[in-house]
Amino acid sequence: MNGSKGRIAIVGAGPAGMAAALAAIRLGFDVTLFERAKEIRAAGNILNLWPPPQKVLKLIGVDTEDLGAPCHTYFENSRGKRRADVQLPAEVEAEYGGGFIGLLRWGLYQRMIDAIPPGVVKLDHQLTHIEDKGNSVRLKFANGLSHDADVLIGADGINSFVRKHLWGNRPIRHQRLHLVGGYLFLDEEPQGVGILAHNRTTQVSYTPIRHEGKWGYEWWVLEACDPDAPPPEDLIGFCRTRAKGFSKTVRDLIEATPLEHMQRWEIRDRPPLKAWSKGRITLVGDAAHPTSPYAAYGAGMSIEDGYFVARELDAVSLSDTAAVRSALVAFETRRIPHTVQITQGAYFTGKIFHHCPAFLRPLRDWVFDNTPFLQKMVGDEMPAHILSQLAEIEDCEPYVPVHKRVKEPAL
Ligand SMILES: Cc1cc2nc3c(=O)[nH]c(=O)nc-3n(C[C@H](O)[C@H](O)[C@H](O)COP(=O)(O)OP(=O)(O)OC[C@H]3O[C@@H](n4cnc5c(N)ncnc54)[C@H](O)[C@@H]3O)c2cc1C
């Protein structure tokens, strides 16, 4: 292994791949990060991050100072009746700049790119072939180049080539939902409050954002759609119509947003896998567990995956195939239960809000408006997941970057 701790190849330079690369580099591995595009590009515009990914970003050397706008989140109905308060403990809010932060996706990518040493990222490398040779993995790319590594981490997103190689071509799950998201900048600092509001069929929500020293807001409109129908041609008109009856604040934000700051996505994920890795190959991020935006946690969990996979590999010698195997099993054993709970929770939340039969919607909304059901479902449960992840990250041995390690004196 040329004197290094071993060669880790990562495919896909999204949040999962960049986090895995940064975590592994700081533990002394020889890391190469392959990306098919000619430059690293943020897929999408708006983003929120919970405290666990913020904690991981700090640990792996990403500058998180002033990364996003602090935000306390409430669920409401479209007329402003409060249904749930997503309440993180005060000390967590204090440590993580409000806890849930709002930012632009590119702001996160730029901070992660800045932390990666030169020479690690290989652009214009689309993975097209994988051969697990037992004691190493050989990768081949569309540009004709090849690369050998001790471990391959597939961070190549929802349509992962690595996932397909390991587990075959399983169907995508169309959630029959679409989301239009937009953002705008403002001169003054917004209130640190995010409102996730629903009427009988539609969600129209907003949170404050911070991006490169500028304040602003992001907002989104989410509702059921027919995946075979053509997308709306007039995005502003579409959002304006859907936001009727919601607060003036969100309607004004939509009206003030430039068209070039709006984007539409159809929401898709995949049913959870029972296992992620085989031999010397594993998956992280959307390649392992594509997640509906209802959790606002897909990028966050991807960043956590990158941290934990590097930690597990740090405990073994990459020249020992059985030990690599046990490290990858330990990684997925730790991560699968958490990611399944979040991805399935997000999937079913989308169903409850947008695919409930019309005759049941008044009853559903009465329950949401008049009982603690939604508080339990989202207001209490999500903070419980967040606290358990923070504790899990803390429970790992102290994370000492390789250049700061002091050799134990020989006994
Ligand atoms: C509308 C919307 C809103 C969202 N909001 C939030 C939010 O608020 N908070 C949150 O945490 N998450 C959010 N998410 C989820 C989040 O965007 C994803 O979970 C996250 O981007 C996954 O990161 P990733 O690195 O695993 O995959 P990706 O970001 O998809 O990156 C995969 C990378 O792999 C590269 N690649 C693919 N195939 C190959 C190949 N064969 N060879 C080489 N490279 C390859 C791609 O070019 C890409 O760069 C949202 C998602 C959507 C759609």
Side-chain angles (χ1 to χ4, degrees):
M1 292 194 288
N2 303 331
S4 90
K5 283 180 60 177
R7 303 158 302 172
I8 298 183
I10 302 164
V11 175
M18 289 195 279
L22 283 164
I25 289 166
R26 286 172 80 83
L27 291 167
F29 291 102
D30 172 5
V31 176
T32 314
L33 174 55
F34 296 101
E35 167 56 47
R36 69 180 168 191
K38 289 194 166 59
E39 58 181 352
I40 298 180
R41 277 192 311 244
N45 53 14
I46 59 177
L47 192 69
N48 291 96
L49 279 184
W50 294 98
Q54 293 181 54
K55 184 176 185 72
V56 165
L57 289 170
K58 266 188 212 161
L59 286 170
I60 62 178
V62 175
D63 175 12
T64 56
E65 189 65 34
D66 207 20
L67 176 63
C71 173
H72 190 106
T73 321
Y74 300 97
F75 279 72
E76 292 185 351
N77 71 18
S78 55
R79 298 177 308 282
K81 180 172 173 45
R82 196 147 287 174
R83 291 170 156 181
D85 174 356
V86 185
Q87 180 92 55
L88 290 164
E91 64 275 15
V92 175
E93 290 206 353
E95 187 172 351
Y96 297 97
F100 195 58
I101 58 169
L103 64 162
L104 291 187
R105 206 169 274 252
W106 179 245
L108 170 68
Y109 278 54
Q110 190 61 66
R111 299 280 183 106
M112 296 184 86
I113 292 166
D114 288 348
I116 300 175
V120 169
V121 181
K122 305 285 179 213
L123 298 170
D124 200 9
H125 277 66
Q126 173 163 7
L127 181 68
T128 52
H129 183 82
I130 301 169
E131 189 187 346
D132 191 338
K133 294 158 81 81
N135 57 358
S136 67
V137 186
R138 173 156 295 175
L139 313 181
K140 289 189 181 157
F141 300 93
N143 58 16
L145 298 174
S146 62
H147 179 88
D148 290 329
D150 300 306
V151 170
L152 165 62
I153 299 176
D156 47 346
I158 186 168
N159 295 313
S160 169
F161 180 84
V162 182
R163 176 184 172 123
K164 200 155 119 194
H165 170 83
L166 295 177
W167 302 110
N169 202 2
R170 310 235 179 142
I172 214 148
R173 185 161 66 176
H174 288 277
Q175 299 202 2
R176 295 188 298 115
L177 298 173
H178 64 166
L179 179 154
V180 178
Y183 67 93
L184 70 163
F185 295 116
L186 298 172
D187 291 333
E188 76 269 22
E189 181 174 347
Q191 265 196 325
V193 171
I195 300 293
L196 277 59
H198 293 82
N199 66 15
R200 291 264 151 95
T201 56
T202 308
Q203 180 190 165
V204 181
S205 300
Y206 64 90
T207 74
I209 55 166
R210 182 99 171 129
H211 177 71
E212 295 175 347
K214 286 179 283 189
W215 293 108
Y217 277 101
E218 61 185 18
W219 55 263
W220 58 98
V221 172
L222 196 165
E223 67 168 21
C225 74
D226 171 1
D228 298 325
E233 274 175 20
D234 170 15
L235 280 190
I236 298 185
F238 169 84
C239 295
R240 188 180 289 144
T241 319
R242 299 311 186 272
K244 269 187 196 151
F246 284 83
S247 71
K248 179 166 173 350
T249 308
V250 77
R251 284 185 283 121
D252 288 349
L253 292 176
I254 291 171
E255 290 300 335
T257 300
L259 184 57
E260 64 273 19
H261 289 187
M262 293 186 193
Q263 227 176 324
R264 173 186 175 270
W265 295 266
E266 283 185 22
I267 298 178
R268 303 167 311 151
D269 67 359
R270 289 179 191 273
L273 286 171
K274 289 203 171 64
W276 293 353
S277 46
K278 269 189 196 167
R280 290 175 167 270
I281 308 173
T282 194
L283 303 171
V284 290
D286 273 13
H289 48 75
T291 310
S292 150
Y294 246 105
Y297 204 178
M301 290 192 296
S302 303
I303 291 166
E304 294 164 11
D305 288 347
Y307 172 76
F308 283 117
V309 73
R311 294 305 310 256
E312 297 293 353
L313 290 169
D314 187 43
V316 299
S317 162
L318 298 198
S319 59
D320 178 344
T321 300
V324 168
R325 190 72 218 112
S326 68
L328 297 182
V329 169
F331 162 64
E332 65 184 45
T333 304
R334 180 198 283 279
R335 295 300 294 163
I336 288 175
H338 168 60
T339 54
V340 168
Q341 271 186 341
I342 299 292
T343 53
Q344 293 295 84
Y347 173 68
F348 287 112
T349 309
K351 272 196 160 316
I352 290 170
F353 276 116
H354 306 287
H355 292 306
C356 181
F359 73 95
L360 282 176
R361 289 177 202 152
L363 174 63
R364 175 202 62 190
D365 289 349
W366 186 90
V367 171
F368 286 170
D369 285 342
N370 297 291
T371 75
F373 183 84
L374 203 60
Q375 177 62 36
K376 287 214 168 71
M377 188 175 123
V378 291
D380 300 341
E381 212 165 273
M382 203 58 194
H385 286 303
I386 297 310
L387 296 182
S388 83
Q389 284 309 295
L390 284 175
E392 229 181 282
I393 296 164
E394 263 153 34
D395 276 354
C396 278
E397 291 163 48
Y399 186 85
V400 185
V402 72
H403 61 275
K404 289 200 182 138
R405 282 187 195 172
V406 181
K407 254 196 164 167
E408 292 288 333
L411 290 175

